[in-house]
Amino acid sequence: MSSHLNPLLHVENLSVDFEVGRKSLFSKPKLLHAITDVSFNLMPGETLGIVGESGCGKSTLGRAILNLVKISGGKVVLDGVDLGALSETELRKSRKDMQMIFQDPLASLNPRLNIKQIISEPLEIFFKELSKADIEKRVLEMMDVVGLSRSYINRYPHEFSGGQCQRIGIARAMIVRPKLLICDEAVSALDVSIQAQIVNLLMDLQKEFKTSIIFISHNLSVVRHISHRILVLYLGRMAELAEFSELYNHAHHPYTRALISAVPTPDPKISKEKKSTILMGDIPSPINPPSGCPFRTRCPKAQDLCAQVRPEFKDHGSNHFVACHFPD
Amino acid sequence: MSENMKTPILSVVDLKTTFLTNDGPVEAVHNVSFDIFESEVLGFVGESGAGKSQVFMSIMGILASNGRASGSALFKGEEILNLPLEKLNKIRGHHLSMIFQDPMTSLNPYLTISKQMSEVLVYHKGLSWSDAEKKSLEMLDCVKIPEAKMRLKSYPHELSGGMRQRVMIAMSLLCEPDILIADEPTTALDVTVQAQILDLMLELKKDFKTAIIMITHDLGVVAQICDRVHVMYGGRIVEKGDVNDIFYNPFHPYTQGLLNSTPRMDQNVQESLVAIPGNPPSLGQLSKGCSFQDRCDFCMPKCLEERPDLKITTSGGLAACHLI
Amino acid sequence: MENIPQGRSLWADARKRLFSNRAAFVALIVLSMITILSIFGPLLSPHAFDSIDWDFVGSPPNFEKGFPFGTDAVGRDLFVRTMYGARISLMVAVVASLVSLIIGVTYGSISGFIGGRTDSYMMRFVDVFYSLPFMFFVILLMVFFGRKIYLVFLAIGAVEWLDMARIVRGQTLSLKRKEFVEAAVAGGLTKWQIIRKHIIPNTLGSVAVFLTLTVPKVILLESFLSFLGLGIQEPMTSWGVLISEGADQMETAWWSLLFPATFLATTLFCFNYIGDGLRDALDPKDR
């Protein structure tokens, strides 16, 4: 991505803490650090993949960018506007430019509304001047774009399969032509053959509408198909950020390497011979993260330094950022 | 498989499972037949609604109340399909074990791990409680649970998802079953944890000579651990064969489509995925002819009329397609 | 455009299942018949509800003279009085339930959706109301404002909405975490729009079930109040009043208890069956 362009989205030192588990009435609640010091830029028309294990804060990051959860520190700037400084009404208006697609295709649609009501809802909010006929026309056009038959317009979500429900969700998000689309595990709940359809659809939509996409997923093999750059999160912190081919071929962070090698290859000869570096143990609790480098408890290369000093997230050339004392 | 002279542990012939719903009977499994032999991993692949879980729910006698199974399932020569409950209980849990996608639903949240594991041994094998607890501890070590002694005293919710799945596997291995049926055991887990669990299952297969049935939609998982693969679509087996044949010489257009649409890490080019168009059929309204007809690139007039049966392919496997 | 197939909404599905439930369907028909009878029944009779026929005081059912249910101790036609009683009882049921529905759903959904401190204050207020003794409340009302029918409506409605508010709040709390509500927030809807469009319609299933169980409760409450002499005033009547009078002369005039009691029991039966059917229709487990 050329750097002289202005980024569409600028995230700076973003942190999100949740209060959890108050032990008694008088004790202070503990803080769960879901996201700590996350910073990145997203260019117009770019797709950034965000990967990590469950509990690494990737979903929270998506919601924090959209201001759906309370931000504890840092800022999110969309198209030059600091979202944190907006009033509630202004923020609501700016939601036209940022939309979201959710993990569970059926649960993200109101079961009492039909497809037309669901897809037209954002139009009714943001384009109040449109007539009923105009709205219906746009809904039908959008249904063509996402590959839904026009005859489905009066049906209800429960009459559709998961893949079709996800198309409805995409139509609802794209009908206001957002500048930023956040996909939170948008294809994880779908079957492989359908997953491929939806990934391809998102890529086509991006080409057509020049939307910037943040694609959050635990599935690295899907992320690599759609993303220009990939950000690896571990325990709410950035571990590695690089262009996709750079990351897959020259991952510097031991965590990224382990993640990549853990993905099973659909090829029996390769996968049965491959000695994957299996990561032992589970992700530590974000309430009480390890000192120094958060990954040191599972890292095969951990040394004393890692427990004492947290590695800085810095550039290792060609826009490849890593937070590790001993990168590969 | 035809040259395999061993006798199968489990032999299923013409299994049919029907659910009586408000919209009439729905056939979820249609004439499924297969054999499984000692210490092999048999994969069942298919999309949701393909009927792959229902096959084993029928065999284990845990169908929903409106489900009916017919056909035959011979376990070591003995018919186990539709057995009365008390006879079935002697076989399932003891000789046949099943683990599920979400371990939390199969563990009792109010009992400690120790209690739940020992219970199995006390009731199935007649061990004393203290012996049972010792054996449980051994088994937890076996599935590589760190600090197993401490874990024995915890409750299910205190464990992580991967740990719980390990406990489930340990529990299902307690009675040293002949067959372990794993229904999407790693789908809810992270890739790093999935790698741990798959590794564990392969080791257990070696140590205990257990036959493993792996029900999954993930071809990556299949490639890693399966010896033979059965591909299911619309309630039927559409292709079966050796894992290498399925991956390198897939015959059925559905198998080919599934392979093409699976995202891969080992190719360097960023290209769009080859998707199978359309949606999986709804089992309630299967049209006559091949169930894959409306998504198939090679659909011929014959495919609309006649349902293809499994036939031997050039590579020695079986596929249900008129192209043969 | 060619004709577009209509979708099956969840409500249409539920209606279909409700009508295929035999007990609920019969109950619905019986209930509609009672309602129609209570509206048009008095027109069929030559007698008014408060006209006294001195020749037939305490008469058993007599079809020739047009007293199918007999007369009461002062010679008024029991058939017409039972129908008038039905009007009052059903009206109390409908009005009080509607009051509880409107206040309860609004209050509960706002409290649950906004959450946090607002929620705790709003629910504590409900708790305070709960702890007021109902009879004390009613007697207080009667003492201050005299015995008026609308006071009965008001008193019952004011108590019944508390349950409704709690149920709706519980539903709202679980709905709030659903992805479609999050999608609505992300889509730029205001809080009130979300409550109106996404929360309330999805609580209506359990609300409908609860309502059918509230209605018989309200009818019984009214009967109870009237039985104690706190409800409807003579010569107007309700099922509660009729049963109370009938119970006094049960040994000499069985008909004065039997008919109103049968109507009351049948109505309660019907509502309970409909409630049961609704619950099954709205929450089908085997799907």
Side-chain angles (χ1 to χ4, degrees):
Chain A
M1 293 284 117
S2 41
S3 53
H4 59 269
L5 273 171
N6 282 331
L8 172 77
L9 177 74
H10 171 68
V11 175
E12 195 178 306
N13 297 332
L14 188 65
S15 299
V16 176
D17 300 331
F18 293 119
E19 289 184 2
V20 286
R22 199 189 285 244
K23 274 263 159 59
S24 76
L25 197 57
F26 305 106
S27 66
K28 267 196 167 175
K30 285 184 190 153
L31 282 187
L32 183 155
H33 307 286
I35 296 281
T36 319
D37 278 339
V38 172
S39 310
F40 62 86
N41 284 334
L42 183 70
M43 295 296 160
E46 190 193 6
T47 302
L48 176 72
I50 297 181
V51 291
E53 290 170 281
S54 52
C56 74
K58 52 190 192 303
S59 287
T60 310
L61 177 56
R63 284 167 170 72
I65 293 169
L66 293 183
N67 267 264
L68 292 175
V69 294
K70 212 170 149 269
I71 293 171
S72 326
K75 60 179 179 182
V76 179
V77 181
L78 181 75
D79 225 6
V81 182
D82 183 354
L83 296 181
L86 296 181
S87 72
E88 206 178 315
T89 323
E90 287 168 327
L91 179 66
R92 230 175 17 241
K93 284 197 181 121
S94 71
R95 293 202 181 281
K96 181 174 112 40
D97 293 330
M98 42 183 194
Q99 292 282 322
M100 185 157 176
I101 300 170
F102 296 84
Q103 172 166 12
D104 187 335
L106 188 58
S108 64
L109 307 175
N110 184 343
R112 304 274 168 202
L113 300 182
N114 66 25
I115 304 314
K116 182 175 157 190
Q117 290 165 320
I118 290 172
I119 300 180
S120 65
E121 183 170 71
L123 279 183
E124 283 159 7
I125 303 282
F126 296 117
F127 297 91
K128 293 203 172 79
E129 71 280 2
L130 284 180
S131 70
K132 274 214 165 115
D134 280 344
I135 286 181
E136 174 152 344
K137 196 172 139 243
R138 289 208 193 180
V139 168
L140 286 170
E141 282 167 4
M142 200 65 222
M143 288 174 73
D144 290 342
V145 173
V146 299
L148 285 167
S149 156
R150 286 185 172 214
S151 63
Y152 291 159
I153 190 161
N154 290 326
R155 297 217 185 163
Y156 289 82
H158 66 105
E159 298 176 80
F160 293 97
S161 67
Q164 287 169 317
C165 283
Q166 202 56 296
R167 285 176 196 270
I168 299 166
I170 293 173
R172 169 178 63 188
M174 293 305 292
I175 199 159
V176 288
R177 306 284 150 89
K179 292 174 183 152
L180 172 66
L181 181 67
I182 296 191
C183 307
D184 182 14
E185 299 276 10
V187 297
S188 310
L190 305 175
D191 282 314
V192 228
S193 69
I194 308 298
Q195 210 171 49
Q197 292 176 4
I198 299 293
V199 167
N200 290 344
L201 171 64
L202 285 171
M203 288 166 80
D204 292 345
L205 286 172
Q206 179 170 45
K207 268 183 214 132
E208 191 175 337
F209 299 117
K210 307 275 175 294
T211 319
S212 300
I213 296 181
I214 291 184
F215 194 88
I216 300 167
S217 178
H218 69 278
N219 187 338
L220 279 123
S221 45
V222 173
V223 169
R224 71 172 285 260
H225 271 276
I226 189 168
S227 308
H228 301 111
R229 282 188 305 155
I230 291 168
L231 171 64
V232 182
L233 284 185
Y234 188 78
L235 220 55
R237 288 178 182 275
M238 296 189 291
E240 190 158 6
L241 171 67
E243 291 207 2
F244 90 95
S245 57
E246 172 74 12
L247 190 87
Y248 280 96
N249 296 322
H250 314 286
H252 290 340
H253 200 289
Y255 177 60
T256 314
R257 296 181 86 92
L259 264 189
I260 292 174
S261 92
V263 178
T265 318
D267 189 323
K269 280 180 188 150
I270 299 176
S271 77
K272 277 180 179 149
E273 277 156 24
K274 182 175 81 176
K275 263 279 133 238
S276 54
T277 33
I278 289 181
L279 211 52
M280 290 319 291
D282 290 311
I283 197 162
S285 153
I287 297 171
N288 211 346
S291 66
C293 173
F295 185 57
R296 66 173 170 86
T297 50
R298 298 167 78 190
C299 185
K301 305 165 85 180
Q303 298 180 22
D304 289 347
L305 178 66
C306 302
Q308 287 150 13
V309 183
R310 180 177 308 124
E312 234 180 285
F313 191 72
K314 55 176 191 260
D315 197 345
H316 282 246
S318 60
N319 280 324
H320 190 150
F321 294 81
V322 186
C324 182
H325 289 304
F326 309 102
D328 289 290
Chain B
M1 27 178 276
S2 47
E3 59 272 348
N4 201 329
M5 295 306 288
K6 286 185 290 182
T7 45
I9 312 178
L10 178 69
S11 170
V12 174
V13 181
D14 281 344
L15 180 72
K16 218 182 245 193
T17 306
T18 312
F19 289 94
L20 302 169
T21 68
N22 288 341
D23 307 321
V26 171
E27 203 168 75
V29 176
H30 183 88
N31 286 9
V32 164
S33 309
F34 64 91
D35 294 332
I36 180 159
F37 301 91
E38 193 180 88
S39 60
E40 75 164 344
V41 182
L42 177 62
F44 268 80
V45 194
E47 296 175 283
S48 47
K52 52 194 195 305
S53 295
Q54 299 305 335
V55 170
F56 296 96
M57 301 261 218
S58 311
I59 295 170
M60 295 290 277
I62 45 176
L63 282 177
S65 58
N66 60 340
R68 298 282 171 274
S70 65
S72 145
L74 296 176
F75 173 74
K76 292 187 170 167
E78 190 189 342
E79 180 62 56
I80 59 165
L81 197 67
N82 297 326
L83 272 188
L85 204 58
E86 58 212 270
K87 282 190 185 160
L88 193 60
N89 275 339
K90 281 193 188 125
I91 288 176
R92 63 178 180 203
H94 200 157
H95 298 292
L96 293 174
S97 277
M98 193 157 176
I99 54 177
F100 298 92
Q101 177 175 343
D102 182 4
M104 206 51 196
T105 54
S106 357
L107 290 168
N108 184 338
Y110 294 106
L111 296 180
T112 60
I113 301 299
S114 154
K115 176 101 180 155
Q116 300 192 40
M117 290 184 72
S118 312
E119 213 171 47
V120 179
L121 288 169
V122 171
Y123 293 131
H124 273 295
K125 290 218 152 164
L127 293 184
S128 72
W129 281 97
S130 61
D131 286 347
E133 202 173 308
K134 240 177 259 161
K135 183 99 197 279
S136 310
L137 185 60
E138 271 169 39
M139 203 44 90
L140 285 188
D141 281 330
C142 221
V143 296
K144 295 185 185 144
I145 288 189
E147 298 158 343
K149 228 179 187 144
M150 227 178 72
R151 294 292 173 211
L152 218 42
K153 293 198 189 74
S154 13
Y155 288 88
H157 68 94
E158 297 173 301
L159 305 177
S160 68
M163 274 314 163
R164 284 201 284 260
Q165 201 57 282
R166 276 166 198 269
V167 169
M168 274 314 295
I169 294 176
M171 249 171 105
S172 60
L173 291 176
L174 277 176
C175 292
E176 291 166 25
D178 300 285
I179 303 177
L180 174 64
I181 301 165
D183 187 357
E184 306 261 7
T186 58
T187 306
L189 305 176
D190 283 311
V191 271
T192 53
V193 184
Q194 166 172 296
Q196 298 168 8
I197 298 284
L198 292 181
D199 222 44
L200 172 71
M201 291 181 77
L202 279 179
E203 260 176 58
L204 294 173
K205 182 190 91 169
K206 248 184 251 154
D207 296 349
F208 293 89
K209 289 205 159 69
T210 316
I212 298 177
I213 290 171
M214 188 72 178
I215 306 171
T216 181
H217 66 272
D218 188 341
L219 286 172
V221 172
V222 173
Q224 200 168 338
I225 80 165
C226 293
D227 303 315
R228 286 190 301 133
V229 184
H230 290 5
V231 182
M232 283 193 76
Y233 189 80
R236 292 149 188 275
I237 295 182
V238 293
E239 182 156 10
K240 39 166 109 175
D242 186 77
V243 68
N244 290 329
D245 290 340
I246 296 283
F247 277 87
Y248 303 124
N249 295 310
F251 202 92
H252 200 283
Y254 175 64
T255 317
Q256 294 169 0
L258 211 53
L259 276 165
N260 288 336
S261 59
T262 302
R264 299 178 69 124
M265 297 281 287
D266 55 338
Q267 292 157 342
N268 224 336
V269 280
Q270 192 174 27
E271 64 208 1
S272 60
L273 295 161
V274 187
I276 306 177
N279 291 291
S282 128
L283 292 170
Q285 37 205 319
L286 280 182
S287 40
K288 74 174 182 179
C290 177
S291 50
F292 192 57
Q293 50 176 272
D294 48 349
R295 302 176 76 188
C296 184
D297 288 339
F298 310 102
C299 188
M300 311 177 286
K302 193 181 178 192
C303 303
L304 306 179
E305 292 302 320
E306 199 181 314
R307 198 161 266 170
D309 290 322
L310 282 170
K311 275 176 277 189
I312 295 185
T313 62
T314 41
S315 56
L318 290 168
C321 182
H322 287 309
L323 285 175
I324 302 176
Chain C
M1 268 191 76
E2 71 276 37
N3 58 337
I4 303 165
Q6 278 297 321
R8 290 178 303 138
S9 75
L10 290 183
W11 286 114
D13 266 9
R15 201 183 311 127
K16 204 177 125 203
R17 275 195 295 273
L18 180 65
F19 286 159
S20 60
N21 177 335
R22 203 170 299 154
F25 189 62
V26 171
L28 257 175
I29 290 179
V30 172
L31 194 64
S32 339
M33 274 164 32
I34 291 179
T35 313
I36 292 169
L37 197 64
S38 76
I39 296 170
F40 299 107
L43 302 177
L44 304 175
S45 169
H47 311 282
F49 78 99
D50 54 353
S51 67
I52 297 168
D53 194 328
W54 293 109
D55 296 336
F56 289 91
V57 172
S59 150
N62 180 337
F63 288 94
E64 280 160 34
K65 291 286 170 192
F67 298 120
F69 291 2
T71 61
D72 66 3
V74 285
R76 292 176 297 195
D77 178 24
L78 259 180
F79 171 71
V80 178
R81 289 186 70 74
T82 307
M83 292 306 114
Y84 268 81
R87 285 186 188 179
I88 294 291
S89 289
L90 289 175
M91 198 147 78
V92 172
V94 170
V95 173
S97 304
L98 275 182
V99 170
S100 88
L101 174 80
I102 292 163
I103 303 181
V105 170
T106 320
Y107 195 93
S109 57
I110 290 175
S111 172
F113 187 72
I114 293 181
R117 197 162 290 170
T118 318
D119 181 38
S120 11
Y121 287 141
M122 286 178 82
M123 288 333 279
R124 286 311 75 75
F125 180 72
V126 168
D127 292 344
V128 168
F129 250 74
Y130 252 116
S131 52
L132 285 179
F134 176 64
M135 287 317 297
F136 176 74
F137 178 65
V138 175
I139 293 169
L140 216 63
L141 275 179
M142 301 295 163
V143 170
F144 274 101
F145 301 103
R147 284 169 38 163
K148 302 194 176 79
I149 292 187
Y150 66 81
L151 278 183
V152 178
F153 296 161
L154 193 78
I156 296 178
V159 174
E160 287 305 320
W161 72 267
L162 299 170
D163 284 331
M164 188 64 91
R166 283 192 167 175
I167 283 179
V168 173
R169 172 181 172 266
Q171 288 273 312
T172 307
L173 287 181
S174 71
L175 281 171
K176 208 164 80 168
R177 289 188 186 82
K178 286 269 170 73
E179 281 187 341
F180 69 83
V181 173
E182 205 175 7
V185 179
L189 272 74
T190 61
K191 283 198 175 89
W192 179 236
Q193 281 171 323
I194 295 172
I195 291 177
R196 215 181 47 209
K197 213 169 157 186
H198 295 286
I199 300 281
I200 290 181
N202 282 292
T203 60
L204 289 187
S206 25
V207 165
V209 172
F210 186 69
L211 209 59
T212 50
L213 301 177
T214 307
V215 169
K217 219 165 100 194
V218 169
I219 295 179
L220 277 179
L221 252 181
E222 183 275 329
S223 300
F224 176 61
L225 286 180
S226 301
F227 190 89
L228 293 179
L230 289 167
I232 306 300
Q233 260 196 319
E234 287 286 347
M236 190 39 88
T237 190
S238 79
W239 282 341
V241 176
L242 288 172
I243 291 171
S244 150
E245 288 170 2
D248 287 343
Q249 21 178 322
M250 190 163 59
E251 279 143 41
T252 52
W254 53 268
W255 56 91
S256 59
L257 177 63
L258 179 73
F259 292 109
T262 310
F263 269 86
L264 177 66
T266 313
T267 307
L268 298 187
F269 249 126
C270 288
F271 271 112
N272 281 320
Y273 271 120
I274 294 170
D276 250 18
L278 260 183
R279 184 165 40 211
D280 292 346
L282 291 166
D283 176 31
K285 284 193 188 70
D286 54 343
R287 274 224 303 177

